[in-house]
Amino acid sequence: MSNNKLININSVEELSCSNKFGTFFGVPQSVFDRVWQELSSPKKNSVAYVSMEIGADPDIFHPVQDFLQEEGFTQSPEPAIQQVLDKYLHGPRKIPNYSGGLGVLAGDTLKSFADTHIPVIAISLLYREGYFSQLVDSRVGQIDQATNWSPEATPTLFQLQDPEDPGQPLEITVPFFNEYDHPTEAKAHVWMKMEVSEELDYFVPEFLLDYFIPSSPPWVREAGLRLYNATSAIMKANQRRMLGSGILPLTEALGLTPGTIHLNEQHGVTVTLHLILRHLEKTLGKEYRSTMRDEDIMAAAREVAEHIVYTIHTPVKAGHDRFARSLYTGISHETCHQILNLLAIDADSPHEYNFTAFAMRVNRAINSVSRLHRDVTRKQFPDVADKIKAITNGVHHLTWISETRAELFDKTKELKDWRDDPGVFARMQLSDEQNFCKQLQQAWYQDNQVLVEYINTMLSEHRTQMDTTWIDPPNYLSRLPPEDSCLQPGVFTVGFARRFSTYKRADLIFDDIPALADILVRNNWQINFIFAGKAHPQDEPGKSVLKLILDNQKELYKRSNGLAQLIFVPGYDMRIAKMMVSGVHTWLNSPKRPLEASGTSGMKAAMNGVPNLSVMDGWWVEGYHDGATGWKFGYEGPLNADSLSEHPDTLLYAEDSQSFYQLLPQVLELFYERPDEYMQLALNNLRLNVPIFNTHRMAAEYVRKYDLELPAQTEARIKDFQNLYQSESSDS
């Protein structure tokens, strides 16, 4: 946390704040009132950011907890404040309402909105069972378990109260229709997570709709239990409706007035249906359903589009929601069908509604999440190609830079204010570069030690687990004596962690284990491969890829004479992710190009100076800098229909794995024989990639789409961040 507070807080009680919806904690009352006033202004000068998942665990970014600990604020004479203090200092830190990159990006984005003082609210769902918890068995592979957590006990989460009935939860009504074209009502409680800026002088409220309450119908309660519950198509459709249909009732109940709705993916796109219906009633009267024509619908859609900004995150078909027309006929009224028949048509699948196509058609701005993804998306949606622009993703640098690196940056005078402005790294002129590199190397070694110690402890626990449970742990090393299977710090370590899906090709580099082992044996090079990640519970091919990682461990170890150790870390979450991106020596990304739209995990590594070893896909096309920041391998041919195919025959395993094997000796030789040159890659990442791939810059680019009036000081700061990088390059 920065030492230069912009506000004075002299007692812990000053962090308590309230309004008619309850009492909260994290910012002074004056800050709370100012932000809430901005968000409820009749000028509609704010944004509603809508995301199916938001990853913002307070276990790896916790400015309020940091402040309490730094100031020694651990006691309060007020029982209510003491209860909050105990929760912040000692409570559980997990909020498992995310599955991976999309949700973590959403959380990082909101943190930067708070840090840069952009008036935004976020809207998502609260899932009582979160996303699944992962067990991994070496024989079975991934085992899915329900997640148990308590929002009531979690710091930064507050349940809103009913101002008309003090002490009772606020309950909003969300309208739906059933298969008989009759209205039905769902009820939801509302939780607020305060995403507080590092300086405690601003916050972004995240509102989470909790449908798992007795007054909601059973089908609603079930759909609200787990993120991405895809046990049936109707369950999936209902979950999307619960998000999109809850937006207007929520904002109206709270008196909030966003002028723009930003859809982070199309999951909440049904809000546009409600807006179109409202506009039709406003222009045609209450009997609009019997008088409206197609032209009226299209005119309403054009009006509604002026309030929608849409970010598309993937070219992969599985990421584009499609629902059978017959299914939607059963869960919405006839007027909705007429709208969808015009706006959600899918030329490739006329019996389905395509909700990605719907979102692409009803908006004032569309953005992809990298330049290459923009080019792919334009090919996929040629009818709106001219509207599709690039805003390359970023990550929240204050979250993902390790504590040891942060301590070094804090004491380096040339990096003054790096916490507030990641662009400082681009202007860094070190008076003693050699000494800085030495200290960076030491910090890196410490982070590598932390990761190695975590893994060695895990392997030891797995040995015990084999004797006490039915689980057969997911690591071959757990079957070896401890003296033969402990990882050592300083050994070249490759990190790979993301969702297990076939196109991401987690097993690519093990396609020819004899060739890989031969490289190591011939040169006596040690190497650790650290893998983590989850496959969606319904993604059986993805689970098979994960199982292949487990199945390759023993052969790789034996063929390499123990030089190569392949580890799988189960239970991947943000805490493990931060350990990995700062503790490894290179970050591997091996998708089939161009199916990885962005790939933010590699950015997190780059924030720590860690070079990437990646296929030229997603962000790496922009972050590679002609080899100054890492390495590339694999196919770089033109984009065509085969490029977008996920069929196993088109995944280029043989070609791209051989490319990797040709490159690997260069990487290992540089690391082990020329460490000074390796450190230059790290320095280049700080100078070239930290200023670009951060969410402060990304948030500033989004502000261009929002049409907000900002105070002069905020506006100037946003322009500085916009000037760090132009995602939409001049040649596009």
Side-chain angles (χ1 to χ4, degrees), residues 175-242:
F176 289 93
F177 282 80
N178 63 22
E179 65 270 27
Y180 304 109
D181 202 8
H182 294 157
T184 185
E185 291 182 345
K187 304 287 186 177
H189 290 169
V190 182
W191 295 78
M192 182 173 76
K193 181 180 190 292
M194 295 178 65
E195 205 59 70
V196 177
S197 70
E198 203 207 13
E199 298 292 345
L200 311 189
D201 60 348
Y202 204 85
F203 75 99
V204 167
E206 301 167 17
F207 298 106
L208 307 176
L209 298 173
D210 180 5
Y211 284 94
F212 194 72
I213 60 176
S215 48
S216 262
W219 60 269
V220 170
R221 294 202 300 272
E222 185 180 5
L225 266 179
R226 292 178 297 281
L227 172 63
Y228 297 142
N229 188 335
T231 51
S232 68
I234 196 165
M235 182 79 71
K236 183 177 175 181
N238 284 334
Q239 198 172 75
R240 272 58 166 173
R241 290 201 300 160
M242 289 156 61

Side-chain angles (χ1 to χ4, degrees), residues 28 88 116 122 128 149 177 223 236 240 289 293 335 346 370-371 391 406 425 460 490 497 532 659:
Y88 270 77
T116 57
R128 284 285 174 165
W149 75 294
F177 282 80
K236 183 177 175 181
R240 272 58 166 173
R289 293 178 64 178
R293 302 164 300 166
T335 310
D346 188 334
S370 71
R371 291 176 181 173
I391 296 182
F425 288 94
S460 178
S659 176

Side-chain angles (χ1 to χ4, degrees), residues 25 34 49 102 150 253 267 275 369 453 477 506 520 523 600 614:
F25 187 82
R34 172 168 52 86
Y49 181 92
L102 177 71
S150 172
H267 302 121
L275 290 168
V369 291
E453 288 171 8
L477 292 186
L520 306 175
N523 297 280
T600 50
S614 178

Side-chain angles (χ1 to χ4, degrees), residues 565-626:
Q565 302 193 97
L566 170 56
I567 305 294
F568 188 88
V569 181
Y572 184 55
D573 63 7
M574 291 172 67
R575 183 176 62 90
I576 292 172
K578 185 167 184 176
M579 257 193 307
M580 288 184 64
V581 297
S582 59
V584 301
H585 297 112
T586 190
W587 195 257
L588 173 68
N589 194 19
S590 51
K592 180 195 173 184
R593 183 181 186 269
L595 297 179
E596 186 80 278
S598 176
T600 50
S601 62
M603 300 176 187
K604 293 161 191 161
M607 290 286 140
N608 290 283
V610 176
N612 273 247
L613 175 61
S614 178
V615 168
M616 287 294 271
D617 200 5
W619 82 283
W620 190 231
V621 176
E622 298 164 67
Y624 175 64
H625 302 287
D626 295 321

Side-chain angles (χ1 to χ4, degrees), residues 77-208:
E78 299 183 26
I81 298 292
Q82 186 61 51
Q83 187 177 15
V84 173
L85 274 177
D86 291 340
K87 186 189 294 188
Y88 270 77
L89 294 171
H90 310 296
R93 314 299 295 178
K94 292 294 300 172
I95 304 178
N97 283 352
Y98 64 95
S99 75
L102 177 71
V104 174
L105 171 78
D108 280 10
T109 303
L110 299 177
K111 294 170 195 174
S112 281
F113 283 143
D115 288 336
T116 57
H117 296 196
I118 305 303
V120 173
I121 66 171
I123 302 172
S124 188
L125 303 182
L126 185 140
Y127 310 94
R128 284 285 174 165
E129 293 183 0
Y131 198 52
F132 75 95
S133 295
Q134 183 194 52
L135 292 175
V136 181
D137 182 285
S138 65
R139 296 161 299 176
V140 179
Q142 176 175 291
I143 301 168
D144 315 323
Q145 280 198 328
T147 298
N148 295 314
W149 75 294
S150 172
E152 292 83 0
T154 306
T156 74
L157 274 179
F158 304 90
Q159 189 172 38
L160 300 193
Q161 305 298 302
D162 186 344
E164 305 299 324
D165 192 359
Q168 294 301 308
L170 176 67
E171 189 168 284
I172 66 170
T173 300
V174 181
F176 289 93
F177 282 80
N178 63 22
E179 65 270 27
Y180 304 109
D181 202 8
H182 294 157
T184 185
E185 291 182 345
K187 304 287 186 177
H189 290 169
V190 182
W191 295 78
M192 182 173 76
K193 181 180 190 292
M194 295 178 65
E195 205 59 70
V196 177
S197 70
E198 203 207 13
E199 298 292 345
L200 311 189
D201 60 348
Y202 204 85
F203 75 99
V204 167
E206 301 167 17
F207 298 106
L208 307 176

